[in-house]
Amino acid sequence: MPCILVEEDRILRLVQVILSQATSQERLDAFADFNSTDQPDFPGWLSAIRGSLDQLYPADVKLINSQEEMHQYLPDAHILIVESLQVGKTELEMGKQLSVVYKFGTNLDNIDQQACKDHGMPLFTLRRRTNTAMAEHTMMCILALAKRLPLINGLITKDRLAAANFGFRPYDTRHTAGANFARVPQLLTLRGCTLGLLGCGEIGQEVAIMAKAFGMKVLYHKRQALSPEEESRLGVEYRSFTNLFSESTFVSVHVPFSEATKDLVNASSLALMPKGSFLINTSRAPIVSHDALVEALQTGRLAGAASDVHYTEPAAENEPLLDMHQVILTPHLGGGSRMNGLLDAQEMLLTIQGVMKK
């Protein structure tokens, strides 16, 4: 039975669910419920993927939460799956039975690639479908804000136009076109606009690639700047924290939540943004100060905002953001279909199985 070490988080626990016969029924039921939105027959899916993993199922899956736990179990491990834990010469020398190291993602800052080469250790990465979906959701919000979609949706009848304070006055089409018969102002074209990425990890980089395709100028800020090669590949430019806000038409939040990032976007940083700019948050709600966001929208400092994450989930009915037509609020679904996570796990495990068969 292979021994697999998996860095624990609520996503990677799926490896345990798939491969370990010791998984509790409670956890199996929880994952079945979680995935039921898009995979109503989770037990059937589970049975099918287990049948395709004859080299891996069943396995002894150990969920690890620290470098110390990793070191404890490495001598008996055959497979190591990590997201942020460090893997270098020390870990590879401890893992005498290791056949493969898998990074759940593409950022290899925590993996000593040269040490893996020196040890002849196969190293794999995963361009996660969930990250791509998050980037798509971010771009959807940017586009919807630029085109004022929350306001204009359905404004195609005289009565609806009047109710939204857009009285219908036809253009003289003997001389001009009749486009935008609602006379909605302040519509933006993304080409030439500046997008500031607060954080430029795997999701931020996916957003950068998409934004460049729309002709946007992309700036970023993170604790450690990307290499010149990475900046060139992505077409992004580094800015200080304050300059990111002062130079961007759109600021999109892509930093992880911690005590250090709580209220990182606050009244001071929002005051730096050009009047009529936009804020998008698909990371975690408390990174943005709620009261500062509401005030910036009420005063017109921000022309709009979008958030896929909320201060309470579900939100309270008296949440003031709900009554603002220039705000887009979605129910924490940026990762897209549940099949993204299931297919990510399937791709990862089938790749590992391919190594084990050699």
Side-chain angles (χ1 to χ4, degrees), residues 220-235:
Y220 78 97
H221 176 79
K222 66 192 298 283
R223 286 179 297 178
Q224 292 184 321
L226 300 171
S227 68
E229 294 76 17
E230 282 294 279
E231 289 185 347
S232 177
R233 180 181 70 84
L234 296 167

Side-chain angles (χ1 to χ4, degrees), residues 54-70:
D54 57 290
Q55 300 293 309
L56 297 179
Y57 178 79
D60 176 17
V61 179
K62 298 187 184 301
L63 301 177
I64 53 177
N65 291 281
S66 67
Q67 209 72 21
E68 292 73 24
E69 274 193 292
M70 182 199 294

Side-chain angles (χ1 to χ4, degrees), residues 154-166:
L155 291 186
I156 59 172
T157 71
K158 290 182 179 180
D159 287 346
R160 292 186 179 216
L161 286 167
N165 295 318
F166 289 101

Side-chain angles (χ1 to χ4, degrees), residues 93-333:
E93 289 179 348
M94 296 177 73
K96 300 294 186 184
Q97 301 187 68
L98 278 180
S99 298
V100 60
V101 172
Y102 210 114
K103 168 62 188 273
F104 189 60
T106 57
N107 185 335
L108 288 168
D109 287 350
N110 59 315
I111 310 286
D112 187 334
Q113 298 177 65
Q114 187 58 52
C116 288
K117 290 179 182 177
D118 293 343
H119 282 76
M121 183 63 62
L123 171 63
F124 294 93
T125 62
L126 179 70
R127 187 178 180 186
R128 294 167 56 185
R129 293 164 180 81
T130 48
N131 289 348
T132 302
M134 288 299 303
E136 290 175 350
H137 195 87
T138 299
M139 288 305 303
M140 178 199 72
C141 290
I142 291 172
L143 282 161
L145 290 169
K147 308 305 179 185
R148 305 191 72 182
L149 186 60
L151 171 67
I152 67 173
N153 184 35
L155 291 186
I156 59 172
T157 71
K158 290 182 179 180
D159 287 346
R160 292 186 179 216
L161 286 167
N165 295 318
F166 289 101
F168 176 67
R169 290 185 295 117
Y171 295 107
D172 188 344
T173 54
R174 295 173 300 171
H175 305 284
T176 71
N180 193 2
F181 62 83
R183 298 177 183 257
V184 176
Q186 300 171 335
L187 300 171
L188 291 182
T189 297
L190 293 190
R191 189 176 72 182
C193 285
T194 299
L195 169 63
L197 299 173
L198 182 58
C200 196
E202 294 185 18
I203 297 174
Q205 290 180 27
E206 295 282 2
V207 174
I209 293 168
M210 295 180 189
K212 293 298 290 185
F214 280 92
M216 301 186 79
K217 179 179 181 179
V218 183
L219 312 177
Y220 78 97
H221 176 79
K222 66 192 298 283
R223 286 179 297 178
Q224 292 184 321
L226 300 171
S227 68
E229 294 76 17
E230 282 294 279
E231 289 185 347
S232 177
R233 180 181 70 84
L234 296 167
V236 299
E237 300 176 26
Y238 177 83
R239 290 293 188 274
S240 68
F241 180 84
T242 54
N243 285 354
L244 184 85
F245 281 84
S246 64
E247 295 181 35
S248 299
T249 311
F250 297 86
V251 170
S252 188
V253 179
H254 299 285
V255 294
F257 175 68
S258 68
E259 283 303 311
T261 60
K262 187 177 187 297
D263 291 336
L264 180 64
V265 180
N266 51 39
S268 297
S269 48
L270 292 175
L272 296 170
M273 297 182 70
K275 186 176 176 62
S277 50
F278 303 87
L279 181 76
I280 299 96
N281 185 7
T282 58
S283 184
R284 288 295 181 268
I287 297 168
V288 178
S289 167
H290 176 271
D291 292 347
L293 175 61
V294 170
E295 182 180 7
L297 289 162
Q298 289 174 337
T299 61
R301 165 61 61 183
L302 290 181
S307 186
D308 187 47
V309 287
H310 310 286
Y311 300 92
T312 59
E313 295 184 353
E317 287 296 335
N318 63 352
E319 168 58 65
L321 295 170
L322 284 167
D323 296 323
M324 298 182 179
H325 66 76
Q326 73 274 42
V327 175
I328 299 170
L329 301 172
T330 54
H332 204 153
L333 46 68

